Amino acid sequence: MRMNRCRSSSKRERQSWLQNGINYWRHRIRGYELALCTDAWNPRLRTGALYRHFSRLYTGYDVLRKVSFKLPEVVRRSLWTIIAVMPLLARAFDLLVLGGGSGGLACARRAAELGARTALIERGPLGGTCVNVGCVPKKVMYNTAMHADFIHNHTDYGFTVSNVDFSWRKIKERRDAYIKRLNGIYQSNLEKDKIEIIPGSASFSDGSKPTVEVNGQQYTASHIVIATGGRPDVPTETEIPGADFGITSDGFFNLEDLPRQAVVVGAGYIAVELAGIFNHLGCKTSLVIRYDEVLRKFDSMISSNCTTELESDGVALLKRSQVCNVSRNSSGRLVVTVVRGNAADHILSDVDCLVWAIGRKPNCQDLNMSKLGISLDSTGHICTDEYQNTNHSGIYALGDVCGKALLTPVAIAAGRKLANRLFGGEANAKLDYKNIPTVVFSHPPIATIGLTEGEAEAKYGQNIKVYRSTFTPLYYAVTEHKRKCVMKLVCANANEQVVGLHMQGMGCDEILQGFAVAIQMGATKANFDATLAIHPTSAEELVTLR
Amino acid sequence: MARLVRPFRSRWYHRFSEKYEYDLLVIGGGSGGLACAKEAAQYGKRVAVMDYVKPSPQGSVWGLGGTCVNVGCVPKKLMHHAALLGAGVRDARSYGWDLPAEATVDWSTLASKLRDHVRSLNWGHRVQLQDKHVKYFNLRGSFLDKHSIRGVSSTKEVLLLAENVVLAVGLRPKFPENVPGAVEHGITSDDIFWLQKSPGKSLVVGGGYVALETAGFLRGLGLDTTLMVRSCCLRGFDQEMATLVSTSLREEGVKFLSGCRPQRVQRSQEGRLQVTWQRRQNVSEEEQKDEWDEKEGQEDFDTVMWAVGRQPVTKDLQLEKAGVQTEATTGKVLVGLHDETSCPGVYAIGDVAEGRPELTPVAIKAGRLLAQRLFAGSTTLMDYTNVPTTVFTPLELGSVGLTEEKAVTLLSPDLIEVYHAYYKPLEYSVPNRNSNQCYIKVVCEREGKQRILGIHFLGPNAGEVTQGFALALRCGASYSDLKSTCGIHPTCAEELIKLQITKRSGKDPTVTGC
């Protein structure tokens, strides 16, 4: 059937199949010999679009062009046929991963290590949110902003610094170069593990087995993992007129220049981090929040302390406020109108950059999942059980697309566990979603794990004991501007098991990890007390709480 | 009325009706002594602290608080922060900040800020003692017998009778013997933080953490720094880590004179210090024989700092009058499990006690526990195992538990498994800083759940990273516990829980990607 269609098709169609075929073989064959020898052999290809395509793909082409060996006509013809026809048949794998982000990559690599024939479909650069528009570039910008703090403290520490200029372009260039390097590392990691990378968008299609189609080619596998992640949510034009003038965290990383005035909307950690970066780099920053405090899902000590820190750093906090209108003024800058409870509307004019950081939504609309009847929850996230199974057998979902603990290491761990379960014979491998440590790169950074005081109260009632500490880290001993460090340990039951740890202060980002290991193990306050301190650090405060 | 009279009466009651004026007298107002005194005072005991700082040969003196506050941890960590800021200037340029290539520090500004902070801490300690009703004597103590201590200063003399005496006099830096001019021209860690002007071109002699830290911060502050080491660096630490630390110092620009010993220090005509040294013959790992080249090396420095060890200064204490025995070679006070000395009623804690780790938190905890045993009926002993510590060289080394060498000798090479990784901190990526020394090593048992025996972490913020892992080790963590903990992305600490390459597998331990 398919062969017939092939014969009767137009030249253009044949070309596109050929291109598909070449793409296909490019992934299939390591060393490029086949593709290149056919290419070198065919004079038509040397001048046409395919030639350009090839020379983009194969950097070593110029060298190989010199190897213009001739093949017998029969061999040539059959090669062409194989190249063009093979992709029309659905290709089968043991594991097909949709999405080359942290979770998908981890799952694919672990499965390949365990011997599964694995392919990974990704439409953008490898690495997903974390590497391209999340953790990594965010931390780079956070580090950049930290230097602003350091520069302030230089004089206090006896260094002579005159007024310092900052160039956003320079750091963006370096950041992009670094991310590009990371993309390359991921690519070569996958190649090393013999995982096929299929560039393009996937959608489920018909088939006796679950089948995925990418650029017209069908793929099937005994196990398909959906790890397509999420993307920032934006209000629609009907909800807020002019909403499209705003950007999201994705757009933040595309900014070519530091805005003079920025408005960030949202009270979650992304809003807090972005506002902190803008503000530290010298941009006049307003943060629009719906209630009185940021990070309302965090422990109350954290939300109130972070709110205070933002305000004392000079971020204009618009509390109990919502953006109701965005427009562009004659000079091309934005005018953002904010409603504030009962008070009069607040108008922010001459805004260069409006960032929506109001939440994230899953990337699964284009997957055509209704074809398989995979069930979604009310917010559009894929429903899974604790083993990452969806309601369709052989199809799994993990990472941000499930909407639970949207964190890179969580997705990585879930991906590895799933691969271990499917191919490593660990029938009960699953991720424990309890005690997941998180860090917010605010100024100063926030680190938390376990239950908040409120949650612990709800769970254990009066049976909790809370230890607190507030101090100024030694670093600030000689500086004019001091940032305090706050810490809270939530203990439950008579043995004072530590069920929550919350802190904000210099170095807390690095402090938490080891404590997370201990808390995961069920450490009690007595264990904390029995641990000797490391002097002088901020972390020692946690083992000397009284 | 009764309420007014009671305290008055009780004070008189105590003064005359009991044999001893004080329940506890602590000699030495350092971290350990103060912690012990304050804890005892909490139980309503009559406590006194006697503290006296004998000026260093260069004339440096300081206030209450001991080594840690005045000439140890606190000023050195601040210097470390300053040095990191200096290095940060270079990074900041690649982060888009328009800064000069090299920032210069004004030593006198830094040192005066640092002294101000130290003085505020001295004052804080005084206030705390007062608040807790601990009597403070700025006097030099000496035993008359085991319960009576004489305190003297140039203007004052008192006699105190105490039921219990705690020795917490700490240690002072050593000067090398047989090096002419050492005491006259050299300084020690007692003086470096109290210098009025920049030390200039400096030579630091020693291979311990004091020497390495000092060389590190001097270099970080932009000074021409040379480190002279006789044999190995950081004895007692994991030697692989120690080598990496010295390599990282070298890469920071510290010059090394390895396998060298100083011969003499003279003042040259230009007023600089001319240091002469000898080099060891055949400096190979195995045969560290005491054979030295005849040929001498010579160089001029502005400052020479000795960091060749620390020793107790107990001569003035007249320990023999109380019958307190000391170790012959180290001169430290011999102690038992309960911190008791050879003389009943006299205890020793902190650096001065023989065989104890010389660390502030150890002294503090030992002091508190001792007070609890003496006055609160506690029986808890100090556990000296798994003591975490950090060397604050520019690249910090955090360490807790057994070193690989120790694990190999205690168990056997077949019973241990070493997980390791070379990682690149994200903050180093953009400025493309050298991260060749950022290394992690976890020593575990090989069988079963793979209980962790030691953790060694070399990298930025090692001090902060190590603390939590010290707790995990205290909880008996195993390698599987590390594996089952979720990472925190992107941090350096998460590299520790991501470890998966064993040393004996021979695989490349360099971390790539997430």
Side-chain angles (χ1 to χ4, degrees), chain A residues 302-324:
Chain A
I302 297 292
S303 27
S304 68
N305 193 63
C306 186
T307 310
T308 322
E309 285 285 351
L310 278 170
E311 280 180 317
S312 72
D313 271 347
V315 174
L317 267 186
L318 302 175
K319 297 175 180 177
R320 299 205 161 268
S321 305
Q322 272 172 288
V323 174
C324 66

Side-chain angles (χ1 to χ4, degrees), chain A residues 130 139 144 156-158 165 167 170 174 178 186 409 437 439 477 510 513 520 529 532-536 538-539 546, chain B residues 39 68 77 93-98 106 113 117 361 365 388 426 430 464 467 484 486-490 492-493 514:
Chain A
C130 167
K139 179 105 190 247
T144 310
D156 294 319
Y157 269 96
D165 285 333
S167 154
K170 197 168 163 193
R174 283 183 156 260
Y178 173 56
Y186 282 104
V439 165
E510 295 289 355
Q513 188 72 73
Q520 164 91 354
D529 294 340
L532 276 160
I534 300 178
H535 192 64
S538 291
R546 298 182 111 190
Chain B
E39 186 77 17
C68 168
K77 182 85 190 278
R93 284 162 60 85
S94 15
Y95 277 106
W97 295 95
D98 182 23
D106 178 26
K113 291 229 176 196
H117 178 65
K365 187 147 235 176
L426 179 57
V430 170
E464 306 291 1
Q467 185 70 74
S484 64
C486 208
I488 304 171
H489 192 62
C492 293
C514 300

Side-chain angles (χ1 to χ4, degrees), chain B residues 21-298:
Chain B
E21 200 176 347
Y22 293 101
D23 298 311
L24 176 70
L25 170 65
V26 179
I27 306 179
S31 316
L34 291 174
C36 182
K38 286 188 281 188
E39 186 77 17
Q42 275 196 336
Y43 301 114
K45 298 294 165 186
R46 298 158 303 160
V47 185
V49 170
M50 206 178 257
D51 183 61
Y52 181 83
V53 180
K54 195 178 168 186
S56 77
Q58 301 301 327
S60 307
V61 280
W62 49 86
L64 183 62
T67 304
C68 168
V69 170
N70 296 285
V71 288
C73 323
V74 171
K76 88 101 184 272
K77 182 85 190 278
L78 286 169
M79 283 290 189
H80 172 65
H81 276 310
L84 289 183
L85 279 178
V89 169
R90 265 170 281 152
D91 289 357
R93 284 162 60 85
S94 15
Y95 277 106
W97 295 95
D98 182 23
L99 282 169
E102 199 82 30
T104 48
V105 74
D106 178 26
W107 178 279
S108 56
T109 315
L110 174 59
S112 77
K113 291 229 176 196
L114 217 136
R115 279 194 294 273
D116 288 348
H117 178 65
V118 168
R119 292 208 176 100
S120 76
L121 292 178
N122 295 150
W123 177 246
H125 281 302
R126 288 284 292 271
V127 172
Q128 277 184 15
L129 288 186
Q130 217 156 35
D131 287 351
K132 301 223 153 115
H133 304 293
V134 175
K135 186 91 176 121
Y136 167 64
F137 297 97
N138 186 199
L139 299 172
R140 186 180 345 173
S142 62
F143 280 98
L144 293 178
D145 64 54
K146 64 179 183 175
H147 292 300
S148 21
I149 283 91
R150 196 171 74 116
V152 279
S153 72
S154 53
T155 53
K156 212 170 146 191
E157 179 170 346
V158 293
L159 176 70
L160 301 179
L161 296 175
E163 192 176 356
N164 298 290
V165 180
V166 171
L167 291 171
V169 293
L171 304 174
R172 297 293 290 267
K174 263 198 278 202
F175 282 87
E177 292 158 19
N178 312 326
V179 178
V183 183
E184 191 188 343
H185 302 302
I187 60 164
T188 64
S189 59
D190 279 357
D191 311 295
I192 187 89
F193 306 109
W194 301 85
L195 294 179
Q196 296 292 339
K197 61 180 190 31
S198 166
K201 184 182 173 190
S202 317
L203 172 72
V204 182
V205 183
Y209 76 93
V210 179
L212 267 66
E213 287 177 344
T214 311
F217 74 68
L218 290 178
R219 178 67 204 121
L221 295 175
L223 300 177
D224 182 341
T225 311
T226 309
L227 185 67
M228 188 188 286
V229 188
R230 197 182 159 120
S231 52
C232 71
C233 283
L234 295 176
R235 198 180 295 270
F237 285 85
D238 191 287
Q239 280 307 297
E240 194 181 0
M241 307 305 282
T243 313
L244 286 169
V245 172
S246 46
T247 316
S248 77
L249 278 179
R250 205 166 280 155
E251 300 219 346
E252 290 282 320
V254 175
K255 295 175 211 154
F256 269 70
L257 288 168
S258 302
C260 292
R261 68 171 180 193
Q263 286 297 94
R264 60 188 171 276
V265 184
Q266 288 163 312
R267 196 170 282 282
S268 69
Q269 272 154 358
E270 307 91 69
R272 303 185 79 188
L273 300 175
Q274 192 177 59
V275 182
T276 313
W277 67 83
Q278 270 186 328
R279 202 174 278 278
R280 191 190 292 273
Q281 281 179 352
N282 314 320
V283 194
S284 76
E285 295 280 317
E286 284 84 40
E287 36 170 351
Q288 292 243 329
K289 277 186 277 178
D290 246 8
E291 285 172 12
W292 300 84
D293 268 334
E294 284 297 306
K295 218 175 110 243
E296 292 176 335
Q298 205 169 60

Side-chain angles (χ1 to χ4, degrees), chain A residues 7 28 167 298 318 476:
Chain A
R7 281 207 187 102
R28 201 72 212 272
S167 154
F298 287 64
L318 302 175
Y476 296 108

Side-chain angles (χ1 to χ4, degrees), chain A residues 471-486:
Chain A
F471 61 96
T472 309
L474 185 57
Y475 173 83
Y476 296 108
V478 298
T479 62
E480 286 291 317
H481 177 66
K482 299 183 196 302
R483 285 177 191 281
K484 61 182 183 186
C485 181
V486 292

Side-chain angles (χ1 to χ4, degrees), chain A residues 424-439:
Chain A
E426 295 176 28
N428 289 316
K430 61 169 180 174
L431 179 66
D432 183 4
Y433 281 90
K434 220 173 59 194
N435 286 333
I436 290 169
T438 344
V439 165

Side-chain angles (χ1 to χ4, degrees), chain A residues 102 109-110 113 130-131 135-136 138-141 143-145 147-148 150-151 153-168 170-171 174-175 178 181-182 185-186 189 192 280-282 408-410 412-413 416-417 431-432 435-439 441 474-480 506-507 509-524 527-544 546, chain B residues 39 42 68 73-79 81-83 85-89 91-100 103-107 109-110 113-114 117 121 220-221 360-362 365 368 372 382-390 392 399 424-432 457 460-472 474-478 481-498 500 512-514:
Chain A
S102 313
R109 290 190 65 191
R110 176 57 55 87
E113 270 170 39
C130 167
V131 171
C135 325
V136 174
K138 176 265 300 284
K139 179 105 190 247
V140 170
M141 293 318 280
N143 284 335
T144 310
H147 280 287
F150 294 151
I151 288 163
N153 298 330
H154 269 138
T155 358
D156 294 319
Y157 269 96
F159 289 94
T160 32
V161 247
S162 43
N163 45 345
V164 185
D165 285 333
F166 168 69
S167 154
W168 177 282
K170 197 168 163 193
I171 182 59
R174 283 183 156 260
R175 194 187 70 211
Y178 173 56
R181 217 156 62 224
L182 286 182
I185 291 176
Y186 282 104
N189 277 346
K192 250 192 316 213
H280 265 70
L281 296 179
T408 291
V410 172
I412 292 178
R416 294 210 177 121
K417 296 265 183 209
L431 179 66
D432 183 4
N435 286 333
I436 290 169
T438 344
V439 165
F441 288 100
L474 185 57
Y475 173 83
Y476 296 108
V478 298
T479 62
E480 286 291 317
M506 190 187 195
D509 45 343
E510 295 289 355
I511 294 175
L512 184 62
Q513 188 72 73
F515 288 94
V517 176
I519 290 170
Q520 164 91 354
M521 292 172 66
T524 61
N527 293 135
F528 274 66
D529 294 340
T531 305
L532 276 160
I534 300 178
H535 192 64
T537 59
S538 291
E540 68 175 320
E541 205 69 22
L542 282 172
V543 296
T544 50
R546 298 182 111 190
Chain B
E39 186 77 17
Q42 275 196 336
C68 168
C73 323
V74 171
K76 88 101 184 272
K77 182 85 190 278
L78 286 169
M79 283 290 189
H81 276 310
L85 279 178
V89 169
D91 289 357
R93 284 162 60 85
S94 15
Y95 277 106
W97 295 95
D98 182 23
L99 282 169
T104 48
V105 74
D106 178 26
W107 178 279
T109 315
L110 174 59
K113 291 229 176 196
L114 217 136
H117 178 65
L121 292 178
L221 295 175
T360 293
V362 173
K365 187 147 235 176
R368 281 208 187 122
Q372 286 167 11
M382 176 75 183
D383 181 355
Y384 287 100
T385 59
N386 288 341
V387 176
T389 178
T390 297
F392 289 101
S399 179
K424 184 156 192 145
L426 179 57
E427 50 268 48
Y428 284 16
S429 294
V430 170
N432 227 338
F457 179 96
N461 287 313
E464 306 291 1
V465 171
T466 313
Q467 185 70 74
F469 287 95
L471 166 65
R474 175 74 46 180
C475 298
S478 59
D481 291 314
L482 291 189
K483 287 272 91 172
S484 64
T485 305
C486 208
I488 304 171
H489 192 62
T491 61
C492 293
E494 73 169 331
E495 301 296 342
L496 247 164
I497 63 133
K498 280 164 55 186
Q500 50 179 351
T512 57
C514 300

